Amino acid sequence: MSTPGRGLHGHVLDTLGPAITAGEYPAGSVLRTDELAQRFDVSRSVMREAVRVLESMHLVESRRRVGVTVLPACEWNVYDPQVIRWRLAGADRPRQLRSLTVLRSAVEPVAAGLAARHATPEQCAELTECALGMVANSRGHRLQEYLVHDVAFHRVILTASGNEMFARLGDVVAEVLAGRTHHEVMFEDPDPAAVTLHVQVAEAVREGDADRAERLTREITVGALQELDILAP
Amino acid sequence: MSTPGRGLHGHVLDTLGPAITAGEYPAGSVLRTDELAQRFDVSRSVMREAVRVLESMHLVESRRRVGVTVLPACEWNVYDPQVIRWRLAGADRPRQLRSLTVLRSAVEPVAAGLAARHATPEQCAELTECALGMVANSRGHRLQEYLVHDVAFHRVILTASGNEMFARLGDVVAEVLAGRTHHEVMFEDPDPAAVTLHVQVAEAVREGDADRAERLTREITVGALQELDILAP
DNA sequence: GTGACTTATAAGTCTGACTTTTTGGTTCCG
DNA sequence: CGGAACCAAAAAGTCAGACTTATAAGTCAC
């Protein structure tokens, strides 16, 4: 996915990144650039570039006379799309999926409210189209087609909010929705109530009703939380 | 701040990063590694490491026979703390501050609600202490001392939420609060109502009243939005 | 045991030669 | 005139090796 194998250092990252985020090297582990270079059969220059990238993600720290130290998970740049992808591909996928879903539940309602205020006519149209696409594919095991429209729907909401930080979460939401469809629950057709909510959100945004858009989106995200059993007992 | 001058490539980044995020090189601009290396008087290896880091932040893209192309702002990893710092230090500081404040307004109330459910006794105590510290420094131009406790308060909330994604926004919130105190409004003592709200949030969290904690925190963030004139007419 | 000194180590840096990919032009044929 | 195949240049990518620098850790004298 995304941009695989953009050079040798990319290949190294595709191996080291997942290994570190999966906890294969516990925090405090020390690696040596030269040894890694040998192990991956690349030159030191290439290895150094890879380490620099890991360092910019705060996955490791490089210090003279010590080596490359793996940092504790609380230091990681968990918003880096690459890190998110690595973690979703690894062992703590469930944990990551929960974190992201909680984040969604905080952000998307507010984004929907803002979208109701700022969405352009084109975005409103697109939103309606997505909602209709969801309806059209909500029955008969058309999960793949449903997913496409679902992802597009949430992307438009986030973009139309006019907030760049929200907009950049589009990929994250896409990943979560895709993950839900492919690996987790959802073996049968999507919940009709959720579909209806999406249609209503599109309505609210079109009519510029920020409060209603926010409230309805909150219902959607509450549903997402419940699917993962994230709720007070 | 943070980790300045961690090697030559760090110095290059400290110059190139701000320049790019400030829009000094418009999207699509093409740079050449060799030329940059000459300009910064470093070897190509060092320059390449710097470019790799910028690439991992999606600020630039490096392609053979083309060069290093500056990417449009919508591609940037705007959650990267380094990128946030660069942008806050640059020309679109106001815009960045608004984006972050809106993000806060979405995240913090939810985080407070979760904190009410998950906070340990120690965190509750710390929270109360912070609130008291805010009260104690809310009068008599003790802005610096007030800020310290304010930042600590929000950090505890985000951490106590138990969500790693929220916890990592501590630095961002700190940056926003500091920015508000130093550069923007706030030449006089903080709003007494806001101080009271913080005390009440601490109460609500201590009592495990998630709804109240969320509602009160929402009031705090609404205040922050209003300070920046972000509200519907 | 404490402090100053030494040493070994691993990252950091630089240089130069070589490889690979890709673009844009050129040529040749239909 | 237009398109396909070809070629050459440009810039990133890779590698190997020599050298520098910071620093953790060990050593020794006091």
Side-chain angles (χ1 to χ4, degrees):
Chain A
M1 181 154 288
S2 73
T3 321
R6 53 281 185 232
L8 283 187
H9 92 282
H11 172 248
V12 172
L13 283 175
D14 288 341
T15 310
L16 255 190
I20 293 174
T21 54
E24 237 165 271
Y25 304 91
S29 307
V30 175
L31 312 169
R32 272 164 308 134
T33 307
D34 294 28
E35 193 217 319
L36 290 174
Q38 272 191 20
R39 174 133 61 91
F40 288 104
D41 194 38
V42 295
S43 67
R44 287 197 316 134
S45 348
V46 168
M47 196 59 228
R48 288 179 51 76
E49 289 172 27
V51 169
R52 281 280 178 267
V53 172
L54 293 175
E55 205 173 21
S56 87
M57 296 169 174
H58 280 82
L59 259 47
V60 303
E61 187 190 38
S62 178
R63 278 172 57 199
R64 270 182 154 135
R65 167 65 212 243
V66 174
V68 177
T69 313
V70 177
L71 292 175
C74 65
E75 296 269 4
W76 299 348
N77 279 178
V78 286
Y79 287 90
D80 189 307
Q82 183 78 89
V83 173
I84 292 176
R85 243 173 283 130
W86 286 338
R87 295 186 64 192
L88 278 177
D92 61 321
R93 173 192 180 80
R95 182 177 150 75
Q96 172 78 103
L97 223 40
R98 282 160 176 273
S99 297
L100 293 176
T101 303
V102 173
L103 180 65
R104 273 191 64 194
S105 76
V107 165
E108 290 206 69
V110 175
L114 288 171
R117 299 186 198 286
H118 301 128
T120 65
E122 290 76 30
Q123 288 170 326
C124 288
E126 206 177 337
L127 206 57
T128 305
E129 206 175 322
C130 292
L132 290 180
M134 291 176 69
V135 172
N137 294 291
S138 62
R139 293 169 156 273
H141 271 271
R142 309 174 62 85
L143 290 181
Q144 197 55 53
E145 295 83 351
Y146 179 84
L147 175 64
V148 171
H149 291 96
D150 195 8
V151 167
F153 182 93
H154 290 276
R155 246 187 231 285
V156 174
I157 290 282
L158 290 168
T159 306
S161 73
N163 185 307
E164 51 177 3
M165 310 287 290
F166 288 172
R168 283 297 284 175
L169 292 177
D171 293 336
V172 169
V173 172
E175 211 87 47
V176 173
L177 293 176
R180 183 173 58 165
T181 301
H182 295 138
H183 304 265
E184 317 289 321
V185 291
M186 273 254 192
F187 297 113
E188 50 203 47
D189 288 344
D191 178 14
V195 180
T196 306
L197 280 171
H198 281 78
V199 175
Q200 291 175 320
V201 168
E203 269 175 29
V205 169
R206 212 166 42 227
E207 293 165 7
D209 190 338
D211 281 348
R212 180 152 173 263
E214 178 167 345
R215 213 163 349 99
L216 289 167
T217 304
R218 212 168 284 284
E219 286 189 52
I220 294 178
T221 57
V222 165
L225 290 173
Q226 284 172 339
E227 274 179 12
L228 296 178
D229 298 316
I230 307 175
L231 73 177
Chain B
M1 179 154 288
S2 74
T3 323
R6 52 284 185 230
L8 282 187
H9 92 282
H11 173 247
V12 171
L13 283 174
D14 288 342
T15 310
L16 254 190
I20 292 173
T21 53
E24 237 165 90
Y25 303 90
S29 307
V30 175
L31 312 168
R32 271 164 307 138
T33 306
D34 292 27
E35 192 217 320
L36 289 174
Q38 272 191 20
R39 172 132 62 91
F40 288 104
D41 194 38
V42 294
S43 66
R44 291 196 320 279
S45 351
V46 168
M47 196 60 228
R48 285 179 54 75
E49 288 173 26
V51 168
R52 280 279 177 271
V53 172
L54 293 175
E55 204 174 21
S56 87
M57 296 170 175
H58 279 82
L59 260 47
V60 303
E61 188 189 37
S62 178
R63 278 172 57 200
R64 272 182 154 131
R65 167 63 212 242
V66 173
V68 177
T69 313
V70 177
L71 293 174
C74 63
E75 297 270 3
W76 299 348
N77 279 178
V78 285
Y79 287 90
D80 189 308
Q82 183 77 90
V83 173
I84 291 176
R85 244 173 281 131
W86 286 339
R87 295 185 65 192
L88 279 176
D92 61 323
R93 173 189 181 82
R95 182 177 150 76
Q96 173 78 103
L97 224 39
R98 283 160 174 273
S99 297
L100 292 176
T101 303
V102 172
L103 179 65
R104 275 190 62 194
S105 76
V107 165
E108 291 207 68
V110 175
L114 288 171
R117 298 186 199 285
H118 300 128
T120 66
E122 291 75 32
Q123 289 170 326
C124 289
E126 207 178 336
L127 206 56
T128 305
E129 206 176 321
C130 292
L132 290 181
M134 290 175 70
V135 172
N137 294 290
S138 62
R139 294 173 157 272
H141 271 271
R142 310 174 60 84
L143 292 182
Q144 197 55 51
E145 294 84 351
Y146 179 84
L147 174 63
V148 171
H149 290 97
D150 195 8
V151 167
F153 181 94
H154 291 276
R155 247 188 230 285
V156 173
I157 289 282
L158 290 167
T159 306
S161 74
N163 184 307
E164 49 175 5
M165 310 287 290
F166 287 172
R168 282 299 284 175
L169 291 177
D171 291 336
V172 169
V173 172
E175 211 87 48
V176 173
L177 293 177
R180 182 173 57 167
T181 301
H182 295 138
H183 303 266
E184 316 290 320
V185 288
M186 273 251 193
F187 296 112
E188 50 203 49
D189 288 344
D191 178 15
V195 179
T196 306
L197 280 171
H198 282 78
V199 175
Q200 291 176 321
V201 168
E203 269 175 29
V205 170
R206 211 165 45 227
E207 294 166 6
D209 189 339
D211 281 350
R212 181 152 172 263
E214 177 167 345
R215 214 162 348 99
L216 289 166
T217 305
R218 210 168 285 285
E219 286 189 52
I220 294 178
T221 56
V222 165
L225 290 173
Q226 285 172 339
E227 272 179 13
L228 295 178
D229 298 318
I230 307 174
L231 74 177

